[in-house]
Amino acid sequence: MTRTVRAAIATAAAAATLALAAPAQAHPFDPKPGADGVGDPLFPTLGNGGYDVRHYDLSFDFTPVTYDFTGTMKISAKATQDLSSFNLDIDSLAIDAVKVDGKDAAFAVSLGKSGQELTVTPAGGLHDNRPFEVAVTYHGNGKTKPIGVPGWRYMSDGGFASAAQSSRADTFAPVNDTTMDKASWTFHLTAPDGWTPGANGTKTGTRPAGEGKTTSDFRLDVPMASELLGISVEKQTLLTGHGPHGVKLRHYVPDDQVATYRPIVEQTGGQIAWLEKTLGVRFPFDTYGMQIVRDGYSDALENQTLSLFGPGWFKNACTSTTYTNVMVHEMTHQWFGDSVTPTTWQSAWLNEGPAVYYAALWADQQGTASMEDKMRTAYGKLDAVRKTDGPPGLPTELGGFNIYDGAAVVLYALNQQVGQDDYDAIMKSWLTKHRHANADSQDFIDNAIRVTHDPSLRPFLEDWLLSKDNPPMPGHPDWS
Ligand SMILES: [Zn+2]
């Protein structure tokens, strides 16, 4: 749910009270355009206002090597105001037709600040609080240079994988590309026989699509922000297994490297068990796995239920400690970022801080690297970074030290301040209270106070999150 949605609900509630006082008048239909952004401080035009997506149903037919694709995105949404028109985020997609509730709708494409805006004008407008269905048919080529940042990753076999964070899902399909509008998803990915599609969620079947092609179906019943879109078509092999208490494990690895990657992906079950024990909260989804690509991508990304990894992490030069740390980092995100999703990108420290923190704790408990040494080093560096890139709670952009190791230092400071038991209780409560929803820095502070009954944690955490200077580290007066 979006902030504009909340405002709309508040307005609607006020209107309802008035209506009770004077029941003669229903509120007149007064359609206006939905906003072209939801006001994310770091990405003001990301996402759109006036509606709330409930479900995305993506059909995507990809031709390897040429990278041509066709798509149909069906969106089930609910209006949160009377709408004369509404926007979807796209980037370099050629729109063929748009239908709303089965009828042709007028549409226009314009330049946005991070891609393009698809403005849809349904005949007669849409009524507040009513569900509606949108179907956008489109085509394109994955190698077209996008207007914003590219989300496509190209593999040397002619396949692709999506790396959509933070604003690139719109290079694959029309979406409401804000963290605030989470929705369930189904995928129908079509590729020539011999090519294997992968997607978030559980594979529910395959069926012939004609012309030597097969369609693979997937469904994700829990809500997901579009930034966590994880689709691929590659020459890859699906490996399956079982994690704790029936969590289904499924991994995609290059089909000529199964022997290399099987012993690596088989470590995920044990890591899930370790994180569940450490966090005191069960894995938030019924499926998990790794997508390890052959090349074309060198980072790692927490796509929901299917983390994406470049091959570099697993090369000979990397020790098992290095690669298991990054495995634990992306797995931690399934709780922090994927299940509990920041309301805006300004609160990205709530994704990266815990991911760095618990990967460091993992390394410490494996006996490979001291967590205290890592935090002391990061504390020393953070003071200068606060001044150049912003403090952890007010970053000037994503991807910096402030929201990664710097944010882990904030969590470490909280731990030192309240003690291990209260720290664990705060994190457990955070994950439980905001499961499969959105929350931000103020929600984190509110939760910490609620758990500990200690109101001094508000100035304490605000100082750590927002100050231009490092506060002193509790319990470590010698740190500077
Ligand atoms: Zn991360």
Side-chain angles (χ1 to χ4, degrees), residues 302 329-330 333 352 355 404:
E302 65 270 22
H329 178 113
E330 304 311 332
H333 275 308
E352 301 303 342
Y404 282 78

